[in-house]
Amino acid sequence: MRYVAAYLLAVLGGNENPSADNIKKILGSVGIEADMACLKKVISELSGKNINDLIAEGRQKMSAMPAGAAVFSGTSAVSTSSAAAAAAAAAGTEAASEEKKVEAKKEESEPESDEDMGFGLFD
C-alpha cells in the first residue's frame, strides 16, 4: 500500500510516469526503506497507465460490490443489521440493559492508555 501511495503522490506532483528512484525518494523522506521487489511490481503494474482512468475503473468495480451486511432482493435492499435490531428489540430490553451494565463495568475496569500501541503509522 505504501508503494502505491508513493506512486500516487509522485503522479499528483506532476510526474506522469514515476521511476523506482522517484518512489524510493518519497518513501525515504518518511524513513521507509523500499523493498525493490514490491517497488518493481507496483511500477510494472502501473507504468504507462492513466491513474485517473484506473481510479475510475476501480470505483466502478467497487460500486458493483455489495458492502456491509445488506441483502439484495430484486430492486429493494434490506439490511440484515436492521433485521437483527428488530429481533433484538422484540426479545425485550432486559437483556440489553444487562449487557449495558456488564459493558459499563468492563469499561471501568480497563485502564485507559494513549501510549504506544506497538505499531507505527508507516510500519
Side-chain angles (χ1 to χ4, degrees), residues 82-102:
S82 55
T93 59
E94 289 181 28
S97 64
E98 287 179 25
E99 284 183 18
K100 288 180 184 177
K101 289 178 186 175
V102 171

Side-chain angles (χ1 to χ4, degrees), residues 61-118:
K61 289 179 181 180
M62 293 292 288
S63 68
M65 190 171 71
V71 177
F72 294 97
S73 172
T75 59
S76 65
V78 178
S79 173
T80 58
S81 62
S82 55
T93 59
E94 289 181 28
S97 64
E98 287 179 25
E99 284 183 18
K100 288 180 184 177
K101 289 178 186 175
V102 171
E103 187 175 307
K105 288 179 184 177
K106 192 181 278 188
E107 287 178 8
E108 291 174 6
S109 65
E110 293 179 10
E112 293 184 21
S113 174
D114 291 336
E115 294 178 16
D116 185 24
M117 296 176 64

